[in-house]
Amino acid sequence: MPSPFQRFGNDLFTGARSIQFVQRRKLWLGISAVLMILCILIPVVRGFNWGIDFRGGSQFQIADAHTTDQTVATQAVHEVEPGAVVQVSVVNRTGIRVTTDQLTTGQTKQVTNNLADAYGVSADEITSSFIGPAWGQDVSRKALEGLGVFLALAFIGMALYFRTWKMSLSAIITLFHDLIFTAGVYALSGFEITPATVIGFLTILGYSLYDTVVVFDKVRENTTEGAEKLTRTFGESVNLAVNQTLVRSINTAVIAALPVAGILFIGGFILNATTLEDISLALFVGILIGTYSTVFVAAPLYSWLRDGEPAITKHTRRVLAARSKAPVEAENVAVTR
């Protein structure tokens, strides 16, 4: 006997039950637009917490500290440089990593001695290093170049595959939506942005695009095969495609998000394994927002972009006219795969 969730999925696929994604597109697109504006304003107000690889500075690493109290590290640095910006994190449960503004050789030695006294270790057990901002800037430049190439290839590839640039445009806008939202979450949470975060940002683009392509493939099937015989408007056909793939999108998101959530919440917050927090947050938020944007942004936006086309308008008038003549028959149309 099928479970309630299976029956729900079957009803969505056959059209017996329908969630109005396209018909209420003004609402969904309006909500997404507000969220995007907020996610743009948050970094302007709060700024990003750039890692040492991007802003440059000095870093101190204690592999096995006798305590993980982070306040003593801040005090140890401020005794040498009162105005320094200090960031302290626990690494592998017993390790301490301290990053500060750039320090002189003498200041680095004093901070090392202070940290050794504070954490009950010898100065030889503390490794110190200086990282200039040039490396992080090079990573950023390469990431932007890679992003540009990816978006260009994705736009061209989707246009050739789906034979319409409007699908490509909808997908690319959706990708920017996902990036902006994820960046806003980073600014709001205060998580450090590292090169691993940049890798996470680029990774979620692939996931978001994959989910969008799956839905758009079903949209193409519903709107091109025997289009002249369709008893649904173009918007209704797009909405049916979203409903038919909704359960699949949810299952894929859950399966993909669970291991990432384990790394982020169990590893980061419970076990204090903070080394993977930067990339895991990007992946976790990206998976969730990628699933959301495919359903609530990409498909409704594509329907809106095509609504004014003469062929679409003509087809809509024909369907509505036929429906007005035979309303009962239209309500019982069987949806075929």
Side-chain angles (χ1 to χ4, degrees), residues 155-207:
F155 184 90
I156 295 172
M158 291 188 66
L160 293 175
Y161 180 71
F162 291 112
R163 299 178 183 177
T164 170
W165 62 269
K166 292 183 179 180
M167 267 192 179
S168 295
L169 181 61
S170 300
I172 298 303
I173 292 175
T174 302
L175 292 181
F176 277 110
H177 169 275
D178 297 346
L179 282 177
I180 292 172
F181 188 91
T182 307
V185 171
Y186 261 88
L188 183 63
S189 66
F191 270 52
E192 189 176 64
I193 295 181
T194 66
T197 306
V198 177
I199 295 173
F201 272 57
L202 297 178
T203 303
I204 64 176
L205 293 179
Y207 175 86

Side-chain angles (χ1 to χ4, degrees), residues 102-133:
Q102 181 180 353
L103 302 176
T104 64
T105 303
Q107 290 174 326
T108 300
K109 185 175 181 180
Q110 293 178 42
V111 170
T112 301
N113 292 332
N114 288 354
L115 290 173
D117 294 337
Y119 287 102
V121 298
S122 67
D124 294 337
E125 296 179 64
I126 301 177
T127 58
S128 60
S129 59
F130 167 73
I131 300 177

Side-chain angles (χ1 to χ4, degrees), residues 117-285:
D117 294 337
Y119 287 102
V121 298
S122 67
D124 294 337
E125 296 179 64
I126 301 177
T127 58
S128 60
S129 59
F130 167 73
I131 300 177
W135 188 83
Q137 293 171 359
D138 186 58
V139 171
S140 301
R141 181 175 56 83
K142 293 294 185 183
L144 290 175
E145 291 176 356
L147 176 62
V149 172
F150 173 84
L151 293 177
L153 292 177
F155 184 90
I156 295 172
M158 291 188 66
L160 293 175
Y161 180 71
F162 291 112
R163 299 178 183 177
T164 170
W165 62 269
K166 292 183 179 180
M167 267 192 179
S168 295
L169 181 61
S170 300
I172 298 303
I173 292 175
T174 302
L175 292 181
F176 277 110
H177 169 275
D178 297 346
L179 282 177
I180 292 172
F181 188 91
T182 307
V185 171
Y186 261 88
L188 183 63
S189 66
F191 270 52
E192 189 176 64
I193 295 181
T194 66
T197 306
V198 177
I199 295 173
F201 272 57
L202 297 178
T203 303
I204 64 176
L205 293 179
Y207 175 86
S208 178
L209 187 63
Y210 165 78
D211 199 39
T212 301
V213 168
V214 169
V215 176
F216 278 179
D217 201 45
K218 194 62 180 177
V219 169
R220 182 180 63 169
E221 178 183 332
N222 287 355
T223 56
T224 58
E225 293 185 4
E228 69 282 351
K229 298 180 181 179
L230 286 178
T231 55
R232 299 179 299 272
T233 66
F234 180 81
E236 291 169 346
S237 296
V238 174
N239 192 74
L240 176 62
V242 178
N243 279 272
Q244 289 175 325
T245 56
L246 181 61
V247 173
R248 182 188 187 282
S249 296
I250 293 175
N251 289 338
T252 303
V254 171
I255 293 172
L258 280 178
V260 178
I263 296 173
L264 177 61
F265 295 105
I266 299 177
F269 295 112
I270 298 178
L271 301 179
N272 289 322
T274 58
T275 51
L276 295 176
E277 282 184 348
D278 41 15
I279 188 171
S280 59
L281 178 63
L283 293 176
F284 183 73
V285 175

Side-chain angles (χ1 to χ4, degrees), residues 77-90:
V77 176
H78 283 167
E79 288 177 4
V80 178
E81 182 59 43
V85 177
V86 184
Q87 294 180 344
V88 187
S89 57
V90 178

